[in-house]
Amino acid sequence: MSSLAARPLLVGKLLAAPGEKPAAGPVEIAFKKGFIESISPVAAISDELTDEQRGLLAMPALANAHDHGRGLSTFAFGAGDRPLELWLPALKLQPALPVYALTALALAGMARSGVGAVVHCHNPSGGDALEEAQAVCQAARDVGVRLALALPLCDRNALAYGNSEHLLSLMAPGDREQVRATWDPPTLSPAAQVERVEAIASVCEGDLIHVQYCPRGPQWCSNTLLEQIAAASAETGRRIHTHVFETRYQREWADAHYPQGLFRYLDDIGFLSPRLTIAHGIWLRADELELLAERGVTVSVNTSSNLRLRSGLASYRAMLDAGIPVAFGLDGMSLNDRDDAFEELRLNYHLYASPSLNGNRLSLAEVFAAHRHGVVAVCDRRDGGVLEPGQPADFTLLDYGAMTRDVVEGACSPAEIILARGSRNYLKALWVAGKPVVDRGQVLGIDESSLQEEIGDKLRSQSRHVYSLQALVGRYQQVLEQFYSAGLHTTLE
């Protein structure tokens, strides 16, 4: 363990609330039982500070408000970037791989970019649901990050948004049963699915682990299932995390099947509340934004993923203007497969800038606030995401000295510098709940190299699985393109 693990910590700069408060420092940070006990100024010329400590900047850990913990690029098994509806079937090309190893690698990669809290929307691999959930949670505990385990719930439209028989009728007879068997597995009843979430929560939840309901999206969940989730959430206080309006085809499906308005229906059944996080929300209308703001719903914007899967861009500015708490998600689909939360921060900051002389329409405070809202999405804690006495000791240490080697001292604020240059390359350490998770670029709780080797060996040994499904996936994608182009997703059953 390096000197960074010593207590208390001495750092040259403290950015307690990026974008809202100026940097302070040098300071000494003391911890007790996972929380910040005190933050005390230290004389800049104090002999207590080493040169390394003088160059460190402490800031709150980042939060990833929407992810799937893939641990493996989808390119590794041939699922290249395509529109979402055509990309989803290609995920079946991935052979069965160890859930623990995949999740641990995904969480470790995020941790090395400063992410201390993650919403993990689990993609089942076909094994026992409880065993998979336990593997995910053990990976999070070993890595050392906070985790919201969002357990998937669905019971309709497994093959496409709409009548499966319409889709199957477009296929060659030889493909129909194979597609049905591969992509349309049997599901439990709505009541049994909700009960399973509670059963898994009773085993898996702990100090850093939270379990959430994860209806995959309205197009994949019957009204009965949505209503039972809403009722269970109201009764237990458990959060809900769901995909909504990621693509225009989902929007069109909803408009056809809920003529009164999908969100009016969801509001009527008590689904909309401060306990809800919506992922994506690209195709939301102004009246829906207002309703979500009124109900205190969080929206996770997943910009890299939306670009790669041709879904569109969220109305970020309109969401903020409506008063919606907006968080950021990596969605396991960052632009360069690095899952670098600092790069995603920068992408959002610049992509949603106003092309005018009035300056960037996103303030520093607004863009950094996304990670405080992310803490809500993960932990349901509305006072987190800042470094103050009494707050959780979740923070990153950046090599600010290296980041600003060519910068005149005081010419730019630290928050501006981090938006301009922040990356995992400058991350010296990540602490969560007062414990070191990453030190000098290394995740302390797992052996990443061994896990990467394990996954690589298993993937190569099962390459036959990838090859055997490629042709069928291609034909399925062609039929899906016909299905949606013909507007069959808007046909009422």
Side-chain angles (χ1 to χ4, degrees), residues 103-113 143 145 424 438 443 446 448:
T103 308
L105 286 173
L107 296 177
M110 296 176 215
R112 285 189 285 103
S113 78
V143 173
V145 297
R424 65 169 56 191
V438 177
V443 178
I446 65 168
E448 281 190 84

Side-chain angles (χ1 to χ4, degrees), residues 84-85 155-158 160-162 216-222 226 243-247 249-251 253-254 258 262:
L84 178 77
E85 284 77 13
D155 64 350
R156 68 170 167 180
N157 294 341
Y161 317 145
R216 284 183 166 171
Q219 64 277 1
W220 293 305
C221 298
S222 67
L226 292 171
H243 304 74
V244 176
F245 291 169
E246 185 171 356
T247 71
Y249 298 106
Q250 294 175 5
R251 168 93 257 180
W253 175 88
Y258 294 88
L262 172 62

Side-chain angles (χ1 to χ4, degrees), residues 206-253:
D207 290 342
L208 300 183
I209 308 293
H210 308 267
V211 171
Q212 301 184 1
Y213 301 109
C214 186
R216 284 183 166 171
Q219 64 277 1
W220 293 305
C221 298
S222 67
N223 288 356
T224 300
L225 180 54
L226 292 171
E227 289 162 14
Q228 293 199 13
I229 293 168
S233 174
E235 180 180 350
T236 63
R238 190 174 304 287
R239 290 191 66 83
I240 302 172
H241 191 99
T242 188
H243 304 74
V244 176
F245 291 169
E246 185 171 356
T247 71
R248 72 180 180 91
Y249 298 106
Q250 294 175 5
R251 168 93 257 180
E252 291 168 356
W253 175 88

Side-chain angles (χ1 to χ4, degrees), residues 387-401:
L387 298 185
E388 296 174 350
Q391 292 294 320
D394 297 359
F395 59 89
T396 65
L397 297 179
L398 300 175
D399 189 346
Y400 191 73

Side-chain angles (χ1 to χ4, degrees), residues 221-425:
C221 298
S222 67
N223 288 356
T224 300
L225 180 54
L226 292 171
E227 289 162 14
Q228 293 199 13
I229 293 168
S233 174
E235 180 180 350
T236 63
R238 190 174 304 287
R239 290 191 66 83
I240 302 172
H241 191 99
T242 188
H243 304 74
V244 176
F245 291 169
E246 185 171 356
T247 71
R248 72 180 180 91
Y249 298 106
Q250 294 175 5
R251 168 93 257 180
E252 291 168 356
W253 175 88
D255 288 346
H257 289 77
Y258 294 88
Q260 79 276 34
L262 172 62
F263 280 92
R264 288 299 168 190
Y265 163 72
L266 293 176
D267 196 35
D268 288 343
I269 66 172
F271 196 88
L272 307 183
S273 81
R275 298 184 303 279
L276 173 64
T277 299
I278 284 175
H280 302 290
I282 296 170
W283 295 84
L284 290 163
R285 291 191 291 253
D287 61 313
E288 294 164 337
L289 295 178
E290 292 177 5
L291 179 59
L292 293 177
E294 289 174 8
R295 298 296 181 263
V297 174
T298 299
V299 174
S300 174
V301 169
N302 312 294
T303 303
S304 284
S305 173
N306 298 152
L307 290 170
R308 290 180 62 176
L309 301 181
R310 317 297 190 260
S311 300
L313 294 175
S315 301
Y316 192 173
R317 181 72 258 169
M319 290 178 183
L320 295 179
D321 289 344
I324 291 175
V326 180
F328 291 154
L330 290 166
D331 202 13
M333 292 290 289
S334 59
L335 283 181
N336 52 12
D337 276 341
R338 279 166 52 88
D339 282 347
D340 191 324
F342 287 102
E343 292 180 357
E344 190 73 12
L345 190 74
R346 181 159 51 253
L347 174 67
N348 282 284
Y349 182 62
H350 290 299
L351 190 61
Y352 292 105
S354 172
S356 71
L357 298 179
N358 296 327
N360 197 311
R361 292 194 65 201
L362 288 181
S363 69
L364 294 176
E366 287 172 331
V367 74
F368 279 107
H371 290 281
R372 290 207 301 280
H373 300 316
V375 172
V376 176
V378 177
C379 309
D380 205 25
R381 183 182 180 120
R382 285 164 174 75
D383 61 348
V386 295
L387 298 185
E388 296 174 350
Q391 292 294 320
D394 297 359
F395 59 89
T396 65
L397 297 179
L398 300 175
D399 189 346
Y400 191 73
M403 199 184 302
T404 58
R405 198 158 280 148
D406 61 338
V407 177
V408 174
E409 178 69 27
C412 296
S413 72
E416 290 176 291
I417 294 291
I418 290 167
L419 272 179
R421 296 182 172 182
S423 81
R424 65 169 56 191
N425 296 335

Side-chain angles (χ1 to χ4, degrees), residues 410-492:
C412 296
S413 72
E416 290 176 291
I417 294 291
I418 290 167
L419 272 179
R421 296 182 172 182
S423 81
R424 65 169 56 191
N425 296 335
Y426 293 112
L427 188 95
K428 297 291 284 187
L430 169 70
W431 288 57
V432 174
K435 297 179 180 179
V437 173
V438 177
D439 190 7
R440 301 179 188 276
Q442 299 297 314
V443 178
L444 302 176
I446 65 168
D447 184 341
E448 281 190 84
S449 296
S450 294
L451 292 176
Q452 288 167 347
E453 185 176 348
E454 176 188 357
I455 290 297
D457 288 345
K458 289 185 179 297
L459 183 63
R460 286 186 291 272
S461 71
Q462 299 185 64
S463 59
R464 185 175 298 177
H465 169 91
V466 178
Y467 301 142
S468 67
L469 274 182
Q470 279 183 323
L472 179 64
V473 167
R475 294 194 297 273
Y476 184 11
Q477 290 171 326
Q478 290 176 352
V479 169
L480 282 170
E481 193 168 350
Q482 295 175 42
F483 180 87
Y484 290 112
S485 297
L488 294 178
H489 57 299
T490 64
T491 302
L492 299 180

